[in-house]
Amino acid sequence: IAGITQAPTSQILAAGRRMTLRCTQDMRHNAMYWYRQDLGLGLRLIHYSNTAGTTGKGEVPDGYSVSRANTDDFPLTLASAVPSQTSVYFCASSRRDSTDTQYFGPGTRLTVL
Amino acid sequence: GQNIDQPTEMTATEGAIVQINCTYQTSGFNGLFWYQQHAGEAPTFLSYNVLDGLEEKGRFSSFLSRSKGYSYLLLKELQMKDSASYLCAVSDSNYQLIWGAGTKLIIKP
């Protein structure tokens, strides 16, 4: 692995289903982030983690949960997907906090029907 | 509320110079970033300004005025590959990044 990876690349999901988006980084970065990107709205922070074992809520956390059991992995779970969660999801990491450069994964395109 | 404003779209000619402006109103300021995002791809880092003034990096330069809540990204000698969206983001008092909606730059031959 080189950098930050996400899986799946894309997914079509029925409303009401549970879904976990995976994110893994090999840069030993302390901070990790989940964003959603919708046309015309820019990137919006869903959840973040400043270090393993801690998480925090961003601008749009409702309907999403995260965990940070170790430094490398930061999965995002949609407990019961709704159509408004149709979006492109980006995971990112930075060495320490948001004053450091964030490195982004390739994104997951999620469609909820 | 917190707000980042950028033009939605700009058009420029190959070989020319273009300036993309960003104004911000945030609770606190811990630095301003510019990222480039090609269509269908992830954002990639271009520049970071925390002090007033101009930072130059090859064909790209970024300027910051904290007193005016203003930044610009200057792209020189435009190439077709510079066609992309340019995202302005500010690190606020909680050390969270607040993102603008991005400026789509179209380069014409």
Side-chain angles (χ1 to χ4, degrees):
Chain A
I1 298 176
I4 184 163
T5 60
Q6 293 182 235
T9 302
S10 65
Q11 182 75 45
I12 298 174
L13 189 66
R17 296 296 295 269
R18 180 184 180 88
M19 176 75 190
T20 295
L21 309 185
R22 300 184 298 278
C23 175
T24 300
Q25 54 103 358
D26 67 352
M27 297 176 282
R28 308 305 293 171
H29 284 172
N30 284 321
M32 297 188 75
Y33 315 85
W34 273 106
Y35 293 96
R36 60 178 290 172
Q37 188 174 39
D38 303 291
L39 209 59
L41 291 181
L43 288 161
R44 291 183 291 169
L45 183 66
I46 304 171
H47 285 287
Y48 65 93
S49 169
N50 288 329
T51 189
T54 68
T55 62
K57 294 181 179 180
E59 180 186 355
V60 289
D62 293 343
Y64 306 95
S65 63
V66 292
S67 61
R68 187 88 184 278
N70 56 60
T71 298
D72 299 345
D73 300 301
F74 191 44
L76 176 74
T77 298
L78 289 67
S80 179
V82 295
S84 61
Q85 292 178 311
T86 294
S87 187
V88 179
Y89 291 85
F90 286 104
C91 180
S93 70
S94 65
R95 188 171 56 86
R96 184 188 51 190
D97 57 35
S98 72
T99 61
D100 296 315
T101 299
Q102 292 191 12
Y103 297 87
F104 285 79
T108 294
R109 184 173 296 275
L110 182 67
T111 302
V112 182
L113 301 176
Chain B
Q2 307 204 89
N3 198 46
I4 310 280
D5 285 317
Q6 322 177 219
T8 302
E9 186 174 297
M10 300 181 69
T11 302
T13 304
E14 190 177 16
I17 299 173
V18 70
Q19 178 175 311
I20 302 174
N21 295 325
C22 171
T23 58
Y24 62 89
Q25 290 179 310
T26 56
S27 58
F29 179 85
N30 286 303
L32 184 145
F33 291 84
W34 285 96
Y35 282 77
Q36 181 189 59
Q37 185 177 24
H38 285 100
E41 298 183 8
T44 56
F45 169 79
L46 286 178
S47 69
Y48 173 64
N49 294 70
V50 66
L51 300 176
D52 291 350
L54 187 68
E55 295 276 346
E56 296 185 80
K57 192 186 296 184
R59 293 190 299 114
F60 292 9
S61 303
S62 56
F63 171 84
L64 174 68
S65 168
R66 289 172 296 171
S67 63
K68 295 182 179 178
Y70 168 70
S71 172
Y72 67 72
L73 181 69
L74 191 71
L75 291 73
K76 303 176 185 175
E77 302 169 16
L78 285 170
Q79 302 174 10
M80 297 304 294
K81 67 178 182 180
D82 297 329
S83 292
S85 289
Y86 291 86
L87 314 180
C88 175
V90 172
S91 177
D92 70 6
S93 58
N94 293 318
Y95 293 93
Q96 290 190 8
L97 272 188
I98 309 300
W99 295 81
T103 298
K104 182 178 181 180
L105 179 63
I106 299 168
I107 309 296
K108 295 186 174 180

